[in-house]
Amino acid sequence: MAEKARIAVLISGAGTNMAALVYASRIGACPYEVVLVASNDPAAPGLALAAAEGIATFACPHKGMSREAHDAAMEAAVLAAGADHIVLAGYMRILSDGFVERWAGRMLNIHPSLLPLYKGLDTHARALAAGDAFAGTSVHLVTPELDAGEVLAQVRVPIVAGDTPESLAERVKLAEHQLYPRAVAEYVGRWRDPAALLARLRTLALALPETDERESHGSPGFRVGGEKGGKFFAYFADQHHGTPHIALLVRTGSMDELMNLVESQREIYFKPAYHGASGWVGIILNRPGVDWDEVAEWLERSWRSAAPKRLTRLMDIADTF
Ligand code: GAR
């Protein structure tokens, strides 16, 4: 069983979304654990629940502190808890750009509207005033611009006759409690999900000229050169031959290059069974922090070494500009 992601949950109030995240983490093979619940309000009811659940807690009132100093105190607690992701759950503070940038791609928020609609506050009153038929909630990555990061998941919730901002908020929270744990689990687990890794690889491989996908010995493979004379330049290997790796196999220039890569960067490269004998290298994809630009470069290089001259000639000419 791979290691779990360690999440710190930041709250300002009731903490019902935090509770949903905690209880989901205790059911089945959840890919994350909650290692800290922190708040800018020492009286936030969620803190007492987290403590009763045996989770480390931290509170730091923001009054009298600059935004940067308060963020730094929260961040220090998050780091001390060994968290690798921050999950905002009703944390009603705008965060400083530096803090957000340091956690780019590792900080999520839930916002009670169908983003990009109704960023900011009073979302329910605004949805009602607009006469909308649906409200909802969105899980998104946090970026310096408020409520504007990539939306990872959304769910719609109907507005019913007689709704008030309070009744609507309560119904939206029911949906949030289902959505947030799933979206967080999917996001933190994405680097070990074969379907997600293959989808990403496919997008990169098929963006290269004259490529197609064809199965080879039960694995997805990518070819260049057309239906008839096509040659494989990449394979996707999902834990083949007893390895724990989900990997991309691509051509290197030589056996020496392959062995050098494997010896100097064992956490990234390996010599695959069968294809390794002809100089193909395995690039491990099920590890956190994969550099996808580097993966794209490997694909292009392997594509070039398999592509017919009429295709590479154009590329070579383009390179001289
Ligand atoms: C949730 O509805 C969440 O979407 C919202 O605050 C509520 C917190 O409830 N967040 C925002 O409005 C962020 N701008 P909870 O404390 O019971 O989880």
Side-chain angles (χ1 to χ4, degrees):
M1 172 72 195
E3 247 176 69
K4 287 179 187 269
R6 297 168 61 82
I7 71 170
V9 183
L10 271 49
I11 64 170
S12 295
T16 65
N17 277 290
M18 177 276 297
L21 288 160
V22 168
Y23 292 118
S25 77
R26 302 215 168 136
I27 300 170
C30 186
Y32 69 80
E33 61 183 315
V34 179
V35 295
L36 176 75
V37 175
S39 180
N40 58 315
D41 178 1
L47 284 177
L49 172 64
E53 286 292 351
I55 298 167
T57 61
F58 174 78
C60 178
H62 56 271
K63 203 160 179 254
M65 287 177 93
S66 72
R67 191 172 298 288
E68 284 72 20
H70 186 259
D71 284 355
M74 298 298 281
E75 188 176 10
V78 167
L79 292 171
D84 45 41
H85 289 78
I86 295 178
V87 175
L88 307 178
Y91 187 60
M92 303 308 271
R93 299 266 307 156
I94 305 246
L95 302 172
S96 54
D97 286 358
F99 184 26
V100 171
E101 275 153 16
R102 276 192 296 285
W103 289 83
R106 298 182 299 147
M107 194 191 294
L108 280 67
N109 182 41
I110 190 159
H111 181 75
S113 79
L114 294 170
L115 289 173
L117 288 178
Y118 313 128
K119 296 173 181 172
L121 296 176
D122 299 322
T123 54
H124 304 302
R126 285 150 71 199
L128 290 172
D132 293 353
F134 289 95
T137 181
S138 309
V139 176
H140 65 94
L141 290 175
V142 178
T143 54
E145 193 186 335
L146 183 68
D147 298 331
E150 182 190 343
V151 172
L152 301 173
Q154 266 182 336
V155 63
R156 283 195 329 180
V157 174
I159 292 176
V160 301
D163 256 340
T164 61
E166 293 71 30
S167 67
L168 182 55
E170 202 178 316
R171 189 173 321 112
V172 166
K173 276 201 192 187
L174 292 175
E176 292 189 320
H177 299 162
Q178 300 299 315
L179 182 71
Y180 212 8
R182 273 182 220 207
V184 170
E186 199 167 299
Y187 188 75
V188 302
R190 73 204 180 288
W191 58 268
R192 66 174 92 110
D193 170 12
L197 294 171
L198 173 59
R200 193 147 185 189
L201 199 63
R202 177 180 285 135
T203 307
L204 293 174
L206 296 181
L208 293 162
E210 273 193 43
T211 49
D212 59 35
E213 180 172 343
R214 177 175 295 195
E215 212 177 82
S216 164
H217 301 282
S219 294
F222 299 94
R223 305 186 323 154
V224 53
E227 188 53 33
K228 285 229 174 76
K231 266 172 94 175
F232 282 101
F233 66 96
Y235 298 98
F236 176 75
D238 183 1
Q239 310 193 327
H240 275 186
H241 308 288
T243 76
H245 311 314
I246 301 174
L248 162 67
L249 310 191
V250 283
R251 296 162 182 268
T252 63
S254 68
M255 209 58 178
D256 273 355
E257 187 189 4
L258 164 60
M259 291 325 286
N260 276 336
L261 287 168
V262 171
E263 272 154 35
S264 61
Q265 295 177 81
R266 273 185 196 287
E267 65 292 353
I268 302 182
Y269 299 105
F270 69 101
K271 181 177 176 223
Y274 184 63
H275 282 97
S278 32
W280 289 63
V281 69
I283 302 173
I284 302 167
L285 300 176
N286 56 335
R287 63 191 158 91
V290 170
D291 180 344
W292 284 91
D293 290 337
E294 204 169 275
V295 170
E297 278 163 28
W298 269 113
L299 281 168
E300 185 182 327
R301 200 183 135 189
S302 194
W303 176 94
R304 268 182 192 242
S305 74
K309 274 269 170 309
R310 69 184 158 80
L311 290 176
T312 52
R313 214 178 297 130
L314 291 175
M315 287 264 199
D316 292 341
I317 292 168
D319 274 356
T320 61
F321 288 100

